[in-house]
Amino acid sequence: MYHASNTMAQNSTNIPFWRDTRVLKVLFQILFLLGVFLLAGILYANMLKGLESRGLNLKLDFLRNEAGFDVSDSVVEYASSDTYLKSFYVGVLNTVRVSLVGILCATVLGLFFGIARLSTNWLVRNIAATYIEIFRNVPLLLQIVFWFTVFGSLPAANNSIELFNAVYINNRSIHFPSLQQTAGFSSWVGYLYAAAILAIISVFVLALIFYRKHAERMKEGDDNRYFMHISRAAKWSAVPVFLIVAIIGWFFAPESPFVLVRPEFQRFNVVGGIRFSASFISLLIGLSVYTSAFIAEVVRSGIQAVSKGQREAARAVGLSTGQTLRLIVLPQAVPIIIPPLTSQYLNLAKNSSLAAAAGYDDLFRIGKTIMTQAGKEIPVFAMIMVNYLTMSLTTSAAMNWYNSWVNRIKR
Amino acid sequence: MNENTTNDPIIICEDVHKWFDDFHVLKGITTTFKKGERAVICGPSGSGKSTFIRTINRLEEHQRGTIIVDGIELSNDLRNINLIRQEVGMVFQQFNLFPHLSNLKNITLGPMKVRKLSKRKAEEEALALLERMGIADQAYKYPSEVSGGQQQRVAIARALAMEPKIMLFDEPTSALDPEMISEVLDVMRELAHSGMTMLVVTHEMGFAREVADRVMFFDEGVVVEEAAPADFFDNPQHDRTKLFISQTLQH
């Protein structure tokens, strides 16, 4: 025995490094990385040399210069006298805005049409199939331009279409009623903080009571049960406590925290309420509808991946079709749906760079304006790329977190 | 006939036909099951035996003939279908437990959503059922955390929680490891002695001989032979039955 292990040890120490797989594995990776760095270095040096010969540099101080151009849509105050940096920031906000609202709309539409696609009703099933096949197979750019053209053919502002005395539509924009904060808002926020604190305290108190009551059975080491008590406590105390305090606060605030402001038609234009530009709405419809067709297919395949036996078992215990879908099929389909759904979300966010087709000032369009005006292609390109990357990676991270949270239950 | 069997018919099938596209699966099944009767249905695979019991709670639609369960005719009337499903419990070969719910919630779901019991009452009943199945300690685990035999017993408890008058078993032990078969059969035996009307598709001939009032032999969509177990096993009439019995009992 001693002899055998001795020779083995000798063997492993005596391998020359160029034959030792452990060394070779690491060595090749180091060599490859060195090669990559070298190539990048050469390219970078070459680029600097080229820029220098044309009298350009990579400095970002031009961002403090005055932009001098207007922006069609902005959620923050912006004027053409603001800096390039500010205009870029406006573009980032616009991209984020259309992406977030688009993701929300696409998910709702996609879920609806994905489920409808599997309906036993011939008409519903085929309407869904038609919707999916049309919007999935027509190029997105064409769809965005189409919606923008449809908008353009609506009546002008002084002839706005009025719906229910609350919504105004014309060829430039849509106006909805909005909630406006009043002086009473800040004191209501105080009540909300109090409500949150009371809700958290109530969960702890109830969880403690549950724990006391079931201490005996807890000792069996059933942590599922413990989790159940906490979630039950949260459900039965936190939500009502929070709502009650928030409602009390609403009435005790010196003034109602919000008032409803309806848009009004004045002489040549619509004022008040919340305004969405035709550009934003056409881009939003284009992105949401196009992506929803893909999401519908993702939802359908997720639902179909749940075994037929699950549906049969649910029907055998007497659940209705709706209950079966809601309580049995969807909860099992969600973990299957999330990874491809994430890809669709990322696609939507990146496709928002087609905004220029509807005249919407997103990150890419404003970036391009800055590029041409300031003549700083490389730094602005880099800034745009970093922004899209950050957005996409954040979305991915959030969805991965949600995915692991969903899978926690299933084990 | 066992001590619980009555003369009241509870399932009446008349000339039941079923096609899967061109394939004629059931070719005119006519039979009556009495309240409290225990019937074992056997036959080679593809003989239509599973399809037959699945028509009784309308997981499969029959296309010709009539099926009347406890006075309710199985038709396209949604109300009838929902009524039937509450009266007929079903246990599947692959258990079909809901993997995202704990064993307890698998059982309480039906009573809470369909029978509209309170959560407390449903859990009380479910725990009592699990006790009866001998697996009360598995209530808060998930199906994937317990053995196949235990899963099938949870599935039986899930079906019983709806307080059905009839229980259908579709090869309940076929997907189990051999050492777990007996724990499921024990539970079914206990259930049989409690007076439940049971239709069991199975290859467990020992169980059939011991528990059944009647053994039905299916082949190619027809009932070839039916008899009390003693007659069926010791004195089969048809050649097809003789062959089947010799093949099943040999190993």
Side-chain angles (χ1 to χ4, degrees):
Chain A
M1 268 302 154
Y2 171 74
H3 188 71
S5 66
N6 197 29
T7 44
M8 266 170 64
Q10 261 181 359
N11 266 342
S12 64
T13 47
N14 284 348
I15 307 173
F17 76 90
W18 63 86
R19 275 193 353 233
D20 189 332
T21 50
R22 290 163 304 178
V23 179
L24 288 178
K25 259 190 237 165
V26 181
L27 193 68
F28 280 128
Q29 293 185 44
I30 291 173
L31 285 178
F32 181 77
L33 276 182
L34 279 179
V36 170
F37 282 130
L38 190 69
L39 193 68
I42 292 171
L43 289 175
Y44 186 71
N46 188 45
M47 181 183 75
L48 285 184
K49 223 162 86 186
L51 286 171
E52 205 180 346
S53 68
R54 283 191 238 166
L56 299 170
N57 60 41
L58 289 179
K59 286 187 190 135
L60 292 174
D61 39 9
F62 71 96
L63 288 172
R64 281 195 224 108
N65 298 349
E66 190 184 305
F69 57 84
D70 272 320
V71 163
S72 66
D73 272 88
S74 179
V75 267
V76 291
E77 288 289 325
Y78 172 82
S80 59
S81 57
D82 280 324
T83 61
Y84 280 131
L85 188 62
K86 181 74 184 281
S87 69
F88 190 81
Y89 172 64
V90 169
V92 172
L93 286 184
N94 278 346
T95 292
V96 169
R97 180 165 73 128
V98 79
S99 303
L100 284 184
V101 182
I103 283 173
L104 192 74
C105 298
T107 308
V108 173
L109 284 172
L111 197 61
F112 176 79
F113 282 103
I115 292 170
R117 181 87 160 82
L118 292 171
S119 168
T120 46
N121 183 311
W122 184 90
L123 186 65
V124 171
R125 188 171 66 233
N126 281 287
I127 288 176
T130 313
Y131 172 93
I132 292 167
E133 293 309 339
I134 288 178
F135 291 111
R136 196 165 64 135
N137 292 309
V138 173
L140 176 57
L141 183 58
L142 190 70
Q143 292 189 38
I144 293 171
V145 173
F146 171 79
W147 294 116
F148 193 54
T149 313
V150 167
F151 244 95
S153 64
L154 293 174
N158 54 4
N159 265 326
S160 291
I161 303 167
E162 185 196 316
L163 299 171
F164 318 115
N165 201 16
V167 180
Y168 289 86
I169 305 173
N170 58 53
N171 61 0
R172 305 269 295 279
S173 50
I174 299 186
H175 299 254
F176 291 104
S178 66
L179 287 175
Q180 207 165 51
Q181 293 175 14
T182 64
F185 180 73
S186 58
S187 59
W188 188 55
V189 170
Y191 278 99
L192 288 188
Y193 281 126
I197 292 166
L198 282 176
I200 292 168
I201 291 173
S202 75
V203 169
F204 276 109
V205 170
L206 263 187
L208 199 70
I209 294 172
F210 274 128
Y211 185 83
R212 283 268 169 82
K213 210 167 136 194
H214 299 282
E216 282 298 298
R217 278 184 283 179
M218 296 297 240
K219 281 186 195 130
E220 291 159 22
D222 231 333
D223 43 337
N224 267 330
R225 201 187 192 111
Y226 185 60
F227 181 74
M228 248 173 54
H229 287 319
I230 291 186
S231 65
R232 194 181 296 179
K235 205 159 68 189
W236 290 111
S237 69
V239 178
V241 166
F242 183 85
L243 283 181
I244 288 169
V245 179
I247 291 169
I248 291 174
W250 182 282
F251 289 108
F252 274 80
E255 190 177 349
S256 172
F258 291 103
V259 286
L260 190 73
V261 180
R262 285 162 191 262
E264 267 178 84
F265 189 71
Q266 284 177 0
R267 289 202 49 181
F268 302 113
N269 220 334
V270 182
V271 292
I274 185 166
R275 173 186 185 273
F276 295 104
S277 72
S279 300
F280 174 77
I281 297 289
S282 341
L283 179 65
L284 180 69
I285 296 178
L287 287 173
S288 319
V289 167
Y290 177 78
T291 313
S292 73
F294 288 91
I295 291 180
E297 286 295 274
V298 166
V299 169
R300 177 175 75 117
S301 65
I303 289 176
Q304 282 177 329
V306 176
S307 80
K308 198 175 147 224
Q310 289 290 310
R311 230 158 302 171
E312 286 182 350
R315 280 158 60 197
V317 291
L319 297 184
S320 69
T321 322
Q323 286 173 326
T324 304
L325 185 70
R326 193 162 46 83
L327 302 169
I328 305 302
V329 179
L330 282 183
Q332 294 183 61
V334 165
I336 307 169
I337 289 172
I338 289 172
L341 185 66
T342 309
S343 304
Q344 293 307 326
Y345 286 177
L346 298 179
N347 279 344
L348 188 145
K350 287 177 295 175
N351 286 339
S352 73
S353 61
L354 292 172
Y360 182 69
D361 281 317
D362 75 321
L363 165 60
F364 180 59
R365 192 177 192 220
I366 288 182
K368 261 180 68 187
T369 312
I370 299 175
M371 254 184 244
T372 357
Q373 253 181 244
K376 298 280 181 185
E377 281 85 356
I378 293 171
V380 179
F381 256 122
M383 282 167 68
I384 297 176
M385 278 200 270
V386 166
N387 258 290
Y388 278 117
L389 257 181
T390 312
M391 274 172 53
S392 295
L393 292 177
T394 313
T395 312
S396 278
M399 293 300 282
N400 284 341
W401 173 82
Y402 180 58
N403 194 22
S404 57
W405 184 79
V406 166
N407 282 312
R408 144 203 74 98
I409 309 166
K410 208 182 156 195
R411 288 143 193 272
Chain B
M1 289 293 128
N2 70 69
E3 69 281 3
N4 295 311
T5 312
T6 60
N7 277 324
D8 312 332
I10 190 161
I11 305 172
I12 303 164
C13 300
E14 260 194 46
D15 194 32
V16 174
H17 286 263
K18 162 92 192 159
W19 286 264
F20 286 124
D21 295 323
D22 287 342
F23 181 51
H24 201 169
V25 203
L26 299 179
K27 299 171 183 163
I29 310 291
T30 301
T31 187
T32 301
F33 299 94
K34 297 194 177 84
K35 210 172 270 183
E37 185 175 348
R38 283 104 61 155
V40 162
I41 300 169
C42 58
S45 62
S47 59
K49 55 192 193 304
S50 282
T51 308
F52 173 65
I53 68 162
R54 286 161 60 88
T55 55
I56 288 169
N57 68 347
R58 212 168 170 82
L59 283 180
E60 304 287 355
E61 273 176 44
H62 58 287
Q63 282 123 358
R64 195 173 351 132
T66 49
I67 301 176
I68 297 169
V69 178
D70 200 27
I72 307 164
E73 186 181 347
L74 280 182
S75 61
N76 285 317
D77 186 338
L78 200 61
R79 203 182 59 182
N80 284 2
I81 297 173
N82 289 340
L83 282 174
I84 293 297
R85 294 227 169 108
Q86 291 175 45
E87 304 221 336
V88 183
M90 176 135 190
V91 175
F92 300 87
Q93 182 178 359
Q94 300 296 342
F95 328 138
N96 292 348
L97 289 176
F98 308 130
H100 61 299
L101 300 176
S102 69
N103 291 335
L104 185 70
K105 285 201 170 150
N106 262 278
I107 303 171
T108 57
L109 189 68
M112 283 169 62
K113 299 291 170 185
V114 183
R115 286 172 58 207
K116 307 286 180 200
L117 288 190
S118 72
K119 186 171 179 175
R120 178 184 292 257
K121 184 88 178 86
E123 283 185 355
E124 238 167 57
E125 288 188 13
L127 286 168
L129 278 169
L130 284 171
E131 187 78 45
R132 185 171 161 198
M133 300 290 131
I135 42 172
D137 50 338
Q138 311 295 332
Y140 297 94
K141 290 188 182 166
Y142 283 78
S144 58
E145 295 174 312
V146 303
S147 73
Q150 290 168 335
Q151 286 187 46
Q152 193 59 300
R153 285 185 280 165
V154 173
I156 295 173
R158 176 176 70 180
L160 289 176
M162 294 302 292
E163 301 189 332
K165 292 184 179 158
I166 302 159
M167 284 284 283
L168 308 174
F169 293 84
D170 189 1
E171 304 202 26
T173 56
S174 300
L176 292 174
D177 290 339
E179 76 269 22
M180 292 170 182
I181 291 177
S182 67
E183 63 188 52
V184 170
L185 290 183
D186 285 344
V187 164
M188 290 169 64
R189 222 170 264 133
E190 187 263 331
L191 194 58
H193 293 305
S194 76
M196 177 68 74
T197 309
M198 292 164 71
L199 270 61
V200 186
V201 172
T202 185
H203 300 298
E204 295 297 327
M205 292 306 150
F207 175 82
R209 203 185 262 273
E210 184 190 340
V211 175
D213 299 312
R214 168 163 51 142
V215 181
M216 300 174 83
F217 177 68
F218 267 65
D219 192 25
E220 295 184 347
V222 292
V223 182
V224 175
E225 182 160 355
E226 53 182 319
D231 296 334
F232 182 85
F233 290 112
D234 302 332
N235 191 17
Q237 301 297 310
H238 294 261
D239 291 343
R240 190 68 194 84
T241 322
K242 283 175 193 163
L243 182 67
F244 180 78
I245 291 171
S246 70
Q247 281 169 343
T248 355
L249 293 186
Q250 258 164 21
H251 52 257

